[in-house]
Amino acid sequence: MLSLRDRPIKQKLMIIIMVTATAALLLSGFGIVAADLILFRGYLQRDLNALAGIISDNSTAALAFNDPAAAAETLGALRVRTHLVTACVLRSDGTMLAQYTRPGPASACPSANGLDGLRFTRGYITVEHPIVLTSRRIGTLLLLYDLDEISERVRLYGAMVLGFVLVSSLVAFLLSSRLSALIATPISQLVLATTSVSETNDYSIRAKKISDDELGFLVDRFNDMLSGIQLRDNNIRRALLDREEALQDAEKARERFHFMAESMPQKIFTATPSGDVDYFNLQWKEFVGFPLENEGWIQFLHPDDLDANLRGWRHSIETGEPFHFQHRIRRADGVYRWHLTRAHAMRDADGNLTMWIGSNTDIHEQKEKEEELRIANDDLQQFAYSASHDLQEPVRNVAVYSELVAIQYRDRLDAEGQQFLGFLAEGGRRLARLINDLLAYTRAGTIEGDLTTLDSSAVLRDSLSSLAEAIRESKGIVTYDSLPGVYMAEAHLQQVFQNLLSNALKYRTEEPPKIHVSALSQGTMWCFSVRDNGIGIDPQYKEKIFGVFKRLHRDQKYAGTGIGLAICQRVVERYGGRIWVESEPGQGATFLFTVPKYEPRVEAGAGDRVAG
Amino acid sequence: MTVLLVEDNLPDALMVIEAIKKEGLPVDVYLAEDGERAIAFMEAAKAEPSAPVPRALLLDLNIPKISGFEILGAIRTSGQFKDIPVLVVTSSDSPADRRAVATLGGSYFRKPTTYQEFMKIGAHLKSFLELHSLL
């Protein structure tokens, strides 16, 4: 059984209301009964006194005349008072003159004790009243009155009070059960809400506000508190979710990276920012024959590449620059194979280096092919060079001696013989020039000797002096701006200048040629231009003229082998530049070419270094 | 004055001699047709008092047995002909060859492809000899 303390508030409220109401009713009931009894007793006293007075007065004569019958008759009038048990008229000597007894069981007269007035004894009131005649006491009237009337009253009142209490308790119960809801319902709502929240952890639950009193205020504050908690809870949830997602993403990224790394044909590795290799993929293991750890890779490098490799790697680690290196790695069977190793630094959002990711690509076949190609190219170059070199001698002999014959034996040859000899001499000369130009062309693709920064003005002056005769013959004027330094072989720049200038002189109109040479800066290159006022070039031939043996003019007016521009292009492209022409027929032509300003900068640690 | 012409190509050799003749230079031209003979000629000049002693060398680079460069290199390290003026007469136009010749203290004349040009070697040789105070 629950103690009152642990009962629900609703029951408590009901109990409180009922107990209070009942207690109040009982108290007031008892009060009323008590007051009534007191009043009734007073009334009874006065009534009995009055009755005693009347009976005494009426008994005076009977006593004076000692007439018991008359006295009995007087007393007989008391019949109407049912609660009067007995009444006695005593003579002054105390003997009884007459007695009245109520029907029913006989009752003795109470004894007189000489004291007039009312006397309460158990359940009875005894009234002793003097009977007086002319101020002389002649006897005493005794009345014995039972108090059943009072008991009846008490019972009646008690029953009434109890009845009221019962009815009012019922009413109180009904009312309290209704009214207690005013307080209990908001509280139980609050309790319900807190219970749901604590059981479900659902902070979106809100307590229902029923009243605008303190409880309503409490509900509002409670809900505010819940909102606050909900907000914080949501934030925490989101933060946790974000963290979870970030962790999952990181894990996924890691898995993806490892999957990728393992499925790549290349060898893959990662290293800490300080350069300690902390991961080698499967291909490394397969290549070297067993799983690698930490510094294990170093022993597989070719001894000749080792120093440069470690130096470059240290440089990258110190500077964060990418690592590019070609070197040999020993396979499980002891064979060294060429690899291209690249490593790049990964950085976080703040730019801090977090790790190195590197790959080692087997370029052995490529390297071998390159070497084969280089050798083949060198051989070809050498062949072309030797061929044209060795061809020079017999061709020269043909050209020179046919000329000699034409001079010394002119008189002994008829006209036809002289013409044929002319063909022979011209053929020999053309052949000699072609071979000469072919030699120049093969040389244009290679750099012989060291490269330096050239004073291009000086090179141009040299070219002009070797073209002095042609300039003089054509009455040409060549002007030039102050020209910059360029990074290329002197012979190459000279070839370009000479070819362009001699073209400009050759393809002239009736006007004496006017040629201007200038240079403009274009980033790391200088853009040279050779402008003339010659016959110009039809735009449709702008590309064609740079091909080997591409001549636009077949007639003798413009002698040449058609290889000059091809040589220029080969030279310029050898230096990473380009050459092109801007021209309209009859408007002259401007040949432009770009050549480097400086020695190409070798990126420290980043360039493809070929070791060994 | 004796000049040794080292040249394996007879037509070229005759052209050089023709040019010298045309220029009217007072020189006796001896012809060595390969490297060995050129070396032998100079060894003989050292050993035999009666043998002609060359005062200048006209040297083709591309010759059999011992190349022109080898001859030039050998001369520059040997005692007697260490400082002999050498005019390289070659068909090569290679800048590398030009540089190599210059390094070994030789002058350079490229064989031309026309008769007229070829005859210019006479004037060239004249000024070359004058430069070395041989004329």
Side-chain angles (χ1 to χ4, degrees):
Chain A
M1 174 130 178
L2 285 167
S3 77
L4 184 61
R5 185 192 300 253
D6 298 330
R7 282 177 185 280
I9 284 176
K10 188 172 170 165
Q11 285 188 22
K12 267 185 200 160
L13 275 170
M14 279 173 64
I15 288 167
I16 287 166
I17 290 167
M18 282 174 66
V19 167
T20 311
T22 309
L25 274 169
L26 280 174
L27 276 176
S28 55
F30 281 126
I32 288 165
V33 170
D36 183 72
L37 280 179
I38 291 164
L39 283 172
F40 184 70
R41 229 163 84 147
Y43 159 75
L44 200 63
Q45 280 178 15
R46 278 191 306 279
D47 180 49
L48 285 178
N49 271 333
L51 187 68
I54 292 164
I55 298 296
S56 296
D57 284 351
N58 289 347
S59 303
T60 310
L63 194 63
F65 293 102
N66 199 18
D67 182 355
E73 196 181 331
T74 304
L75 290 176
L78 291 169
R79 276 190 315 269
V80 292
R81 308 295 292 254
T82 53
H83 287 288
L84 191 72
V85 179
T86 185
C88 307
V89 177
L90 300 180
R91 292 181 193 96
S92 56
D93 57 358
T95 56
M96 190 172 329
L97 177 66
Q99 185 182 11
Y100 160 76
T101 306
R102 156 177 91 175
S107 185
C109 212
S111 57
N113 57 5
L115 287 171
D116 292 340
L118 269 77
R119 196 164 68 242
F120 282 88
T121 50
R122 271 179 67 100
Y124 298 96
I125 299 174
T126 307
V127 183
E128 200 169 331
H129 198 277
I131 299 167
V132 179
L133 181 69
T134 59
S135 310
R136 195 174 52 95
R137 184 182 184 121
I138 57 167
T140 301
L141 176 66
L142 282 171
L143 296 176
L144 185 66
Y145 200 84
D146 71 30
L147 286 176
D148 287 352
E149 199 177 0
I150 288 178
S151 303
E152 274 167 21
R153 256 184 120 89
V154 168
R155 273 197 299 277
L156 180 68
Y157 275 122
M160 275 171 69
V161 167
L162 277 176
F164 272 125
V165 166
L166 276 174
V167 170
S168 63
S169 289
L170 189 68
V171 171
F173 176 77
L174 290 171
L175 281 176
S176 67
S177 67
R178 281 288 174 91
L179 293 175
S180 67
L182 281 176
I183 292 170
T185 309
I187 292 177
S188 35
Q189 280 291 330
L190 211 53
V191 169
L192 207 69
T194 49
T195 310
S196 319
V197 168
S198 69
E199 277 174 359
T200 61
N201 282 330
D202 178 1
Y203 296 102
S204 64
I205 290 169
R206 291 288 176 274
K208 197 168 146 202
K209 185 180 173 181
I210 290 169
S211 54
D212 252 332
D213 56 359
E214 290 91 332
L215 278 170
F217 185 74
L218 187 65
V219 167
D220 279 346
R221 290 294 83 81
F222 176 73
N223 285 342
D224 286 350
M225 210 165 70
L226 270 181
S227 298
I229 293 172
Q230 187 185 12
L231 193 70
R232 242 170 306 165
D233 184 60
N234 283 345
N235 286 346
I236 291 169
R237 267 173 213 276
R238 207 171 304 126
L240 281 173
L241 219 65
D242 287 352
R243 202 180 120 79
E244 185 75 8
E245 266 175 27
L247 282 173
Q248 278 176 2
D249 284 354
E251 179 59 20
K252 257 186 229 161
R254 205 182 61 84
E255 279 174 12
R256 215 163 29 226
F257 169 76
H258 275 259
F259 183 76
M260 262 171 68
E262 297 297 327
S263 55
M264 287 263 213
Q266 276 101 340
K267 295 165 203 60
I268 303 286
F269 64 90
T270 63
T272 62
S274 59
D276 297 322
V277 180
D278 53 8
Y279 166 74
F280 294 94
N281 73 343
L282 210 63
Q283 280 65 24
W284 260 102
K285 187 182 142 189
E286 283 171 0
F287 188 78
V288 300
F290 62 89
L292 277 179
E293 270 178 32
N294 307 327
E295 304 298 311
W297 56 282
I298 291 173
Q299 56 176 305
F300 291 96
L301 298 188
H302 195 285
D304 293 349
D305 308 338
L306 191 60
D307 276 355
N309 189 338
L310 294 179
R311 230 179 9 251
W313 182 224
R314 263 198 301 276
H315 176 85
S316 287
I317 288 159
E318 280 161 19
T319 58
E321 288 171 9
F323 176 75
H324 282 203
F325 197 73
Q326 290 187 18
H327 57 148
R328 285 155 287 183
I329 305 176
R330 195 173 71 238
R331 202 164 54 190
D333 60 5
V335 173
Y336 281 100
R337 287 182 69 82
W338 278 101
H339 283 76
L340 169 63
T341 296
R342 297 155 169 273
H344 286 254
M346 231 170 87
R347 291 169 194 281
D348 62 15
D350 300 328
N352 299 316
L353 208 157
T354 54
M355 71 186 291
W356 288 93
I357 296 185
S359 63
N360 317 81
T361 311
D362 191 324
I363 54 163
H364 201 75
E365 269 83 34
Q366 181 193 338
K367 198 89 178 159
E368 278 181 339
K369 289 278 184 312
E370 268 174 24
E371 186 59 17
E372 280 170 21
L373 194 67
R374 195 187 60 75
I375 291 168
N377 212 27
D378 282 357
D379 287 352
L380 191 67
Q381 187 90 7
Q382 189 56 42
F383 172 76
Y385 185 76
S386 308
S388 37
H389 199 270
D390 291 348
L391 275 171
Q392 274 189 313
E393 208 167 83
V395 167
R396 186 177 56 242
N397 291 342
V398 170
V400 171
Y401 278 90
S402 53
E403 244 182 299
L404 183 58
V405 170
I407 293 163
Q408 289 194 358
Y409 301 89
R410 178 176 306 179
D411 302 340
R412 291 179 233 177
L413 287 171
D414 57 15
E416 202 175 39
Q418 283 191 22
Q419 192 193 17
F420 291 167
L421 193 61
F423 292 157
L424 191 61
E426 178 54 26
R429 267 198 301 276
R430 284 241 313 271
L431 199 51
R433 215 164 35 228
L434 267 172
I435 289 165
N436 212 15
D437 286 351
L438 268 175
L439 255 175
Y441 182 78
T442 48
R443 259 206 309 278
T446 54
I447 295 168
E448 293 167 339
D450 297 330
L451 292 177
T452 48
T453 302
L454 292 176
D455 174 6
S456 59
S457 300
V459 179
L460 180 66
R461 274 194 297 274
D462 284 352
S463 305
L464 288 176
S465 66
S466 59
L467 288 165
E469 209 179 305
I471 295 169
R472 203 173 48 243
E473 271 174 22
S474 63
K475 299 186 177 67
I477 300 164
V478 180
T479 54
Y480 54 95
D481 297 337
S482 144
L483 297 176
V486 292
Y487 188 80
M488 57 194 297
E490 185 174 352
H492 281 157
L493 184 59
Q494 202 158 0
Q495 272 180 315
V496 176
F497 275 148
Q498 249 170 40
N499 279 305
L500 293 182
L501 289 169
S502 73
N503 277 349
L505 292 167
K506 199 188 295 172
Y507 299 104
R508 60 174 181 261
T509 59
E510 299 305 316
E511 299 281 309
K514 278 186 194 159
I515 302 165
H516 184 75
V517 181
S518 58
L520 276 172
S521 176
Q522 267 189 7
T524 59
M525 310 289 273
W526 286 109
C527 178
F528 283 81
S529 64
V530 179
R531 194 178 70 233
D532 66 43
N533 61 341
I535 57 172
I537 293 159
D538 192 318
Q540 62 170 311
Y541 298 116
K542 272 166 75 172
E543 312 288 334
K544 261 189 186 163
I545 53 171
F546 293 100
V548 183
F549 300 123
K550 283 290 184 302
R551 295 188 63 209
L552 302 182
H553 306 277
R554 265 264 157 249
D555 55 276
Q556 291 301 309
K557 192 173 155 198
Y558 306 109
T561 56
I563 210 167
L565 288 175
I567 291 172
C568 292
Q569 189 177 42
R570 200 153 186 224
V571 166
V572 167
E573 285 180 353
R574 173 64 189 73
Y575 290 94
R578 62 187 201 99
I579 185 166
W580 69 104
V581 66
E582 291 170 359
S583 178
E584 292 294 328
Q587 302 288 310
T590 304
F591 280 86
L592 299 111
F593 65 94
T594 57
V595 285
K597 285 179 180 175
Y598 330 99
E599 182 177 4
R601 235 188 41 217
V602 179
E603 280 176 64
D608 278 355
R609 270 180 293 197
V610 182
Chain B
M1 181 176 48
T2 301
V3 168
L4 178 63
L5 170 62
V6 188
E7 174 62 79
D8 64 322
N9 185 311
L10 194 59
D12 281 351
L14 292 176
M15 268 301 150
V16 172
I17 292 163
E18 165 90 1
I20 290 169
K21 238 190 277 174
K22 276 200 142 181
E23 192 64 31
L25 296 177
V27 294
D28 298 324
V29 179
Y30 287 79
L31 179 66
E33 287 186 49
D34 60 47
E36 272 179 10
R37 289 182 198 186
I39 297 289
F41 187 86
M42 280 184 284
E43 291 302 319
K46 279 191 232 173
E48 296 166 34
S50 59
V53 177
R55 308 298 303 274
L57 216 59
L58 295 174
L59 182 64
D60 185 12
L61 290 177
N62 191 21
I63 48 172
K65 292 177 182 169
I66 300 173
S67 82
F69 278 120
E70 283 169 320
I71 293 171
L72 194 52
I75 291 168
R76 291 301 182 224
T77 51
S78 78
Q80 195 178 344
F81 298 107
K82 204 156 68 86
D83 300 315
I84 189 171
V86 177
L87 176 62
V88 170
V89 181
T90 176
S91 47
S92 169
D93 192 26
S94 147
D97 286 352
R98 281 179 189 270
R99 267 196 303 278
V101 168
T103 310
L104 290 165
S107 290
Y108 205 93
F109 184 87
R110 194 184 170 210
K111 290 177 188 167
T113 49
T114 66
Y115 175 75
Q116 298 296 340
E117 290 290 318
F118 224 126
M119 289 306 112
K120 284 181 183 170
I121 194 173
H124 191 91
L125 181 61
K126 188 179 177 216
S127 55
F128 174 77
L129 293 173
E130 279 168 355
L131 184 73
H132 289 93
S133 316
L134 292 169
L135 281 181

